[in-house]
Amino acid sequence: MRAPKIVTEESYMKRLRTFLLGLASAAVFAACGGGVPSTTEHSSTRNVPQWQVQHSATRACPETPERPQCNVLIIRSDVQPDVAGWVPSDLQAAYNLPSSSKGSGQIVAIVDAYDNPNVASDLAEYRSHFGLPAANFTKYNQVGQQGNYPMAQAGWGSEIDLDVQMVSASCPNCTIYLIEANSNSDSNFDIAEKEAAKLGAHIISNSWYCEGCKLHPSDFDDPGVTYLASSGDGGYGAASPAGLEDVVAVGGTILAKRGSKYREAAWPDTGGGCASGVDKPSWQHDPGCTSRTTNDVAAVAWGVATYDTYGYGGWLTTGGTSVSSPLVAGIYGLAGNAGSQHGGKSLWMLTKQERKKDLHVINRGSDGDCGGSYLCTAGTGQFGSYSGPSGWGTPNGIGAF
């Protein structure tokens, strides 16, 4: 196995400082999400994400207004023959995960659009390279067939590779199902979402968001299934499906390492905020949002190593909350409690002592301008340890899940 390039704290803190300076000085970054659901409280004008302003990444998928948008960002595609970015051992150590001993029998489903014809071989290479066991992996089309797959598309193919590899990184013993929707229309995603539950998935991860489509909440609330969705990569603002009541909304962080210690700050481009049009769940009681507040939890969203031969020819460094959602989905698999969850409710119902023990509190960083509110700024203390960008924190073991 080739040794990965080590990502140092200095390089990540330099990037973080650049991001945060951009937040303070760039007039274009007064971030607020539009669409349905969208932010209302503490809102401002929509802008250009910092990763785009600073040319630090590019979207793998084409822009699709009012249609589901994949979240994977390509940071580097010229890393051959070495690996650059966080690898499974880093992610397992950073989040104190029992990855080698837990997760057997748990089915984590990934719902994406279009086909990646190389996903199985790419996944096998990723797992072999990092010493993970062979995958228990099955690919389906949107009606549950192992064949008749949709047409291939390179951008969504990169999303697919990232998703299955991040589940593998946190839960190598989990069974992984991939359900490929015929296209990135909301109607096809609704069909694929229901099919994932029919196939017996315990956990369903969605690394995409939509600011203008009409997803059906009933397709994300099957009893006994934990649904997750990434919160988006455009800064402060809530979107579907992360903003739905029965979905765990997953925000993003920047991860850094010094020696054997890991630290995190809110990723400046993570989505999160106040989801208008969605009734506030009875288990949420924060003061600054009268509707559903996102996010619930967070994980790293910048600088992970992935392998993609269909779109890019090999090793990449990728980012986006597309990293965070499937990584946390695997952690739910490690915990083995998916059937007893109700979206993000269990995270909001934890005691202060439980949060201190089972979650890493994120107290640095912001994802936009919301008047200094906890809805976009970590570490304010306005609502305990909660903040919109990072929710209640990042995993410290599996106790919170």
Side-chain angles (χ1 to χ4, degrees), residues 370-401:
C370 61
S373 164
Y374 70 93
L375 290 173
C376 75
T377 308
T380 67
Q382 294 169 347
F383 186 57
S385 59
Y386 181 84
S387 72
S390 53
W392 289 105
T394 61
N396 182 20
I398 60 176
F401 302 91

Side-chain angles (χ1 to χ4, degrees), residues 104-339:
S104 295
Q106 292 294 299
I107 301 172
V108 180
I110 298 296
V111 176
D112 277 318
Y114 300 103
D115 180 40
N116 181 336
N118 297 354
V119 59
S121 58
D122 286 352
L123 179 59
E125 173 62 21
Y126 178 89
R127 293 175 70 115
S128 174
H129 186 93
F130 295 121
L132 304 177
N136 186 347
F137 171 73
T138 307
K139 181 170 77 170
Y140 299 92
N141 67 12
Q142 72 177 31
V143 294
Q145 299 172 334
Q146 295 181 47
N148 299 315
Y149 300 116
M151 69 177 185
Q153 188 187 92
W156 280 93
S158 297
E159 180 68 74
I160 288 168
D161 273 331
L162 172 61
D163 289 351
V164 299
Q165 289 167 23
M166 289 304 98
V167 175
S168 299
S170 58
C171 189
N173 296 324
C174 283
T175 296
I176 303 173
Y177 288 173
L178 169 64
I179 294 84
E180 296 181 332
N182 287 346
S183 73
N184 66 325
S185 71
D186 46 357
S187 60
N188 281 326
F189 268 118
D190 282 335
I191 294 169
E193 207 73 28
K194 295 302 288 187
E195 188 60 38
K198 290 178 184 177
L199 289 168
H202 303 106
I203 301 146
I204 302 175
S205 177
N206 302 276
S207 287
W208 48 274
Y209 73 99
C210 186
E211 294 184 332
C213 54
K214 295 177 174 60
L215 299 170
H216 295 103
S218 61
D219 293 330
F220 296 83
D221 67 352
D222 277 51
V225 180
T226 291
Y227 294 84
L228 300 91
S230 56
S231 62
D233 303 331
Y236 178 53
S240 283
L244 299 176
E245 176 179 349
D246 296 311
V247 176
V248 180
V250 187
T253 65
I254 289 181
L255 182 67
K257 183 179 182 183
R258 174 177 289 174
S260 60
K261 302 295 184 181
Y262 295 86
R263 298 195 305 169
E264 290 175 279
W267 182 46
D269 286 324
T270 183
C274 204
S276 65
V278 180
D279 291 341
K280 194 166 193 67
S282 60
W283 39 267
Q284 283 194 332
H285 44 87
D286 59 303
C289 174
T290 59
S291 51
R292 163 77 158 111
T293 303
T294 65
N295 296 307
D296 302 312
V297 70
V300 61
W302 195 258
V304 301
T306 56
Y307 188 74
D308 171 15
T309 60
Y310 182 68
Y312 289 91
W315 289 104
L316 308 171
T317 309
T318 56
T321 51
S322 283
V323 176
S324 316
S325 181
L327 189 69
V328 175
I331 295 172
Y332 274 99
L334 295 175
N337 298 317

Side-chain angles (χ1 to χ4, degrees), residues 4 9 24 36 46 60 86 99 113 150 164 204 230 232 294 389 395:
E9 180 179 33
V36 181
R46 191 59 174 167
W86 301 113
S99 298
V164 299
I204 302 175
S230 56
T294 65

Side-chain angles (χ1 to χ4, degrees), residues 2 22 25 35-36 42 47-48 53 72 76 111 114 173 200 203 231 265 282 303 314 350 363 369 382 388:
R2 296 186 295 271
S25 62
V36 181
H42 303 286
N47 54 76
V48 181
V53 169
V72 60
R76 287 186 59 190
V111 176
Y114 300 103
N173 296 324
I203 301 146
S231 62
S282 60
L350 293 172
N363 54 23
D369 179 8
Q382 294 169 347

